[in-house]
């Protein structure tokens, strides 16, 4: 093979390292599996588990008022929240396992769970 | 008085260019041509490109060193963006980030012992640095969402594959035009070879 003549010994090592990086990147990117349900918590306790396959809308009462959460087309979002800064509402749709919207002032959170438990976050 | 522009016309502005300027311009032109070919190749995922122009960068790096490679790469990014109508558009900043990232890594890879590490190593390392810095910029600015990282495995596969292919092409072109015959001023031998050969790697 003529092309192989241009590969020096260290090049194989670099290519192998690259292949290793590729191999590691797949499970890291898809570690959390498929989104299955949304877990709604209030005050740290599970309030409801919503099946993502069924569109619905629930109201969660909290200390400030009612937080409304909606499931639609395998996604979930916080539709309305009485909190002052609206971070969880502005986060929009959640669709990947591990994604979470936290309405801290009203003590409500909604998180997507997959078929496997993932890490909350990874830093490199 | 009746000829207000006569003095200005008689004064000629001479731009002095060195042979190195000519060389950089010619190599950058080859790189721009290849990046136009790059842009014309349809590929399934946005963000994945063969990066043929980087073959030129690798050859320039081996022949003329990092400084010239940086000039050629920078000119290619700017001129390529102007020709594609992308100048100062998001795509321009992405390719600028990619070029800066891979140049930084090439500056280090270039110092690896030549006996062990050749253009193939440089190319793979530069390809990963390229997509890595583009991902950082995209995550910080264009797509501030972690969903971007679900594409990372595909980007990495492309970086490895195209990195190896481009490195092999660069190594072959370097071997076919030996460096011990420096090109005469005003004419750059590897450039003509390159533009004739690199688009279609014949096995």
């Amino acid at each position: 093979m003529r092309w192989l003549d241009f590969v020096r010994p260290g090049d194989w090592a670099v290519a192998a390292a690259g292949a290793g990086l590729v191999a590691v990147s797949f499970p890291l990117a898809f570690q959390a599996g498929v989104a299955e349900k949304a877990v709604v918590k209030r005050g740290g306790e599970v309030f409801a588990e919503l099946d993502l396959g069924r569109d619905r809308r629930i109201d969660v009462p909290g200390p400030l008022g009612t937080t409304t959460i909606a499931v639609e087309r395998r996604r979930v979002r916080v539709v309305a929240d009485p909190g002052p800064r609206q971070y969880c509402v502005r986060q929009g749709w959640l669709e990947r396992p591990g994604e979470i919207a936290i309405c801290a002032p009203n003590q409500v959170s909604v998180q997507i769970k997959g078929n496997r438990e993932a890490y909350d976050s990874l830093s490199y | 008085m009746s000829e207000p522009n006569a003095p200005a016309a008689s004064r000629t502005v001479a731009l002095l260019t060195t042979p190195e300027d000519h060389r950089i311009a010619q190599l950058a032109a080859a790189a721009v041509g290849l990046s136009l070919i790059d842009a014309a190749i349809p590929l399934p995922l946005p963000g994945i490109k063969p990066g043929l122009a980087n073959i030129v960068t690798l050859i320039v790096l081996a022949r003329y060193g990092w400084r010239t490679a940086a000039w050629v790469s920078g000119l290619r990014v700017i001129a390529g963006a102007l020709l594609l109508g992308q100048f100062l558009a998001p795509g321009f900043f992405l390719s600028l980030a990619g070029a800066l990232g891979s140049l930084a890594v090439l500056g280090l890879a270039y110092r690896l012992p030549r006996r062990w590490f050749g253009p193939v190593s440089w190319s793979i390392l530069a390809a990963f640095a390229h997509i890595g810095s583009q991902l950082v910029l995209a995550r910080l600015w264009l797509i501030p969402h972690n969903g971007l990282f679900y594409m990372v495995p595909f980007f990495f596969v492309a970086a490895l594959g195209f990195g190896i292919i481009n490195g092999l092409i660069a190594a072959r072109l370097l071997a076919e035009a030996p460096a011990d015959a420096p090109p005469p001023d005003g004419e750059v031998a590897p450039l003509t070879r390159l533009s004739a050969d690199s688009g279609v790697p014949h096995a």
Side-chain angles (χ1 to χ4, degrees):
Chain A
M1 271 294 281
R2 279 198 58 200
W3 284 104
L4 286 183
D5 299 343
F6 301 117
V7 185
R8 297 176 203 181
D11 295 344
W12 291 110
V14 172
L21 200 58
V22 168
V24 168
S25 69
F26 271 95
L28 277 182
F30 300 106
Q31 55 171 331
V34 184
E36 285 185 339
K37 61 186 180 184
V39 176
V40 180
K41 288 189 179 178
R42 187 192 55 180
E45 317 238 302
V46 175
F47 177 83
E49 295 198 346
L50 308 174
D51 180 4
L52 288 180
R54 211 162 28 152
D55 292 359
R56 60 182 287 202
R57 181 179 281 246
I58 62 164
D59 291 330
V60 186
L64 294 186
T66 305
T67 299
T68 306
I69 290 167
V71 176
E72 200 184 301
R73 288 189 288 157
R74 300 206 66 83
R75 305 172 299 172
V76 67
R77 68 166 171 151
V78 178
V79 179
D81 179 70
R85 284 172 291 274
Q86 301 284 303
Y87 288 141
C88 57
V89 179
R90 286 161 61 184
Q91 213 169 332
W93 292 108
L94 315 177
E95 46 193 332
R96 300 280 190 183
E99 283 190 315
I100 187 167
I102 303 171
C103 306
N106 208 24
Q107 297 178 18
V108 174
S109 75
V110 55
Q111 182 174 27
I112 306 259
K113 294 279 183 185
N115 47 4
R116 273 177 290 155
E117 280 296 324
Y119 304 104
D120 289 343
S121 73
L122 290 169
S123 58
Y124 302 86
Chain B
M1 192 169 167
S2 61
E3 296 168 345
N5 55 356
S10 64
R11 203 190 310 133
T12 49
V13 178
L15 272 178
L16 296 174
T17 54
T18 63
E20 201 202 351
D21 293 335
H22 288 252
R23 182 194 300 148
I24 288 174
Q26 287 176 326
L27 290 162
V32 168
L34 285 175
S35 51
L36 292 186
I37 295 176
D38 237 9
I41 298 173
L43 282 159
L45 261 183
I48 290 186
K49 270 205 247 174
L52 295 174
N54 297 314
I55 297 168
V56 180
T57 311
L58 292 171
I59 291 175
V60 173
L61 182 70
R63 279 283 154 75
Y64 308 109
W66 186 85
R67 218 182 75 91
T68 313
W71 266 109
V72 168
S73 184
L75 284 173
R76 182 208 85 210
V77 167
I78 293 170
L82 284 172
L83 286 174
L84 290 168
Q86 288 243 327
F87 188 59
L88 298 185
F92 166 75
F93 291 104
L94 283 176
S95 58
L96 187 64
L100 292 177
S102 53
L103 279 173
V105 165
L106 281 176
L108 299 174
Y110 180 58
R111 289 163 209 280
L112 291 170
R114 291 287 174 96
R115 205 169 113 70
W116 299 97
F117 300 96
V120 178
S121 287
W122 303 349
S123 182
I124 296 171
L125 293 170
F128 275 102
H130 199 274
I131 189 64
S133 28
Q134 289 187 325
L135 278 170
V136 169
L137 179 68
R139 176 62 183 81
L140 291 178
W141 177 41
L142 296 171
I143 311 172
H145 188 274
N146 283 334
L148 182 69
F149 293 116
Y150 289 87
M151 310 270 278
V152 164
F154 304 104
F155 289 150
F156 278 7
V157 168
L160 182 62
F162 290 129
I164 290 173
I165 293 172
N166 290 347
L168 284 174
I169 295 174
R172 181 173 172 161
L173 292 171
L174 281 166
E176 285 181 0
D180 51 16
D185 290 343
E187 194 211 346
V188 181
L191 170 71
T192 47
R193 300 203 74 86
L194 183 73
S195 49
D197 279 7
S198 59
V200 191
H202 35 72

